[in-house]
């Protein structure tokens, strides 16, 4: 019975997305900082919680989608950069990462091959490097 009422209430609402989760995480961090250092910061955390709830229960879906698209224009490059750094860190024992001296393209080669001659795929510059 209560589940059906909840479903009826949530019908036509926007729901959660990455922006809402990011707002909640920021609120959690501010809440922790506020409890340790300066208590008025927790009021800002509470405002972020309210904003996340407002976005979740909003029926103005086009406005929420515009906010989310603006957030993704910022978040997607940052997420890709973090993913690339994580991949590079996890492969650090198998591959040596380096940059082409002429075009600064990031390249990788298997470790343990000694000195090798590398041809950059972007500018076709040939150079020697140690792996």
């Amino acid at each position: 019975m209560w589940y059906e009422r909840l479903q009826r209430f949530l019908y036509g609402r926007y729901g959660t997305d990455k922006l809402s989760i990011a707002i909640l995480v920021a609120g959690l961090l501010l809440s922790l900082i506020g409890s340790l250092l300066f208590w008025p910061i927790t009021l800002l955390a509470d405002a972020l919680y309210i904003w996340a709830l407002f976005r979740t229960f909003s029926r103005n879906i086009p406005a929420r989608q515009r906010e989310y698209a603006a957030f993704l224009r910022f978040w997607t490059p940052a997420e890709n950069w973090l993913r690339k750094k994580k991949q590079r860190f996890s492969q650090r024992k198998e591959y040596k990462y380096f940059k082409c001296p002429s075009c600064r393209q990031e390249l990788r080669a298997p470790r343990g091959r000694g000195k090798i001659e590398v041809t950059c795929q972007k500018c076709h510059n040939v150079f020697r490097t140690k792996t």
Side-chain angles (χ1 to χ4, degrees):
M1 174 121 175
W2 64 270
Y3 184 71
E4 294 165 357
R5 282 190 206 163
L6 182 64
Q7 277 184 325
R8 261 192 315 242
F9 174 73
L10 292 176
Y11 183 77
R13 310 272 178 182
Y14 183 67
T16 59
D17 55 11
K18 285 183 183 180
L19 176 56
S20 297
I21 293 170
I23 293 168
L24 288 173
V25 168
L28 178 65
L29 291 174
L30 284 177
S31 180
L32 289 173
I33 291 169
S35 66
L36 294 174
L37 300 177
F38 191 58
W39 70 268
I41 294 176
T42 58
L43 297 176
L44 183 59
D46 293 340
L48 288 176
Y49 294 145
I50 291 169
W51 183 28
L53 286 174
F54 169 75
R55 283 185 43 77
T56 300
F57 295 128
S58 174
R59 289 188 182 218
N60 191 354
I61 293 173
R64 302 295 81 81
Q65 288 175 337
R66 283 192 303 273
E67 292 171 354
Y68 186 56
F71 170 74
L72 286 181
R73 278 193 297 276
F74 161 76
W75 179 249
T76 303
E79 188 177 31
N80 290 339
W81 182 81
L82 287 171
R83 187 177 295 119
K84 191 164 96 173
K85 293 298 179 185
K86 179 182 174 188
Q87 178 186 15
R88 186 174 172 167
F89 183 76
S90 68
Q91 295 178 352
R92 71 189 182 282
K93 292 183 180 178
E94 293 91 24
Y95 294 100
K96 164 91 174 178
Y97 286 87
F98 50 90
K99 293 191 180 208
C100 173
S102 66
C103 70
R104 308 303 293 166
Q105 172 72 27
E106 189 171 288
L107 305 168
R108 73 176 190 172
R111 286 193 180 271
R113 301 285 171 103
K115 286 197 174 194
I116 60 171
E117 193 169 271
V118 179
T119 303
C120 177
Q121 295 175 352
K122 186 175 178 183
C123 68
H124 303 290
N125 179 33
V126 178
F127 60 98
R128 294 183 60 83
T129 187
K130 181 184 171 189
T131 63

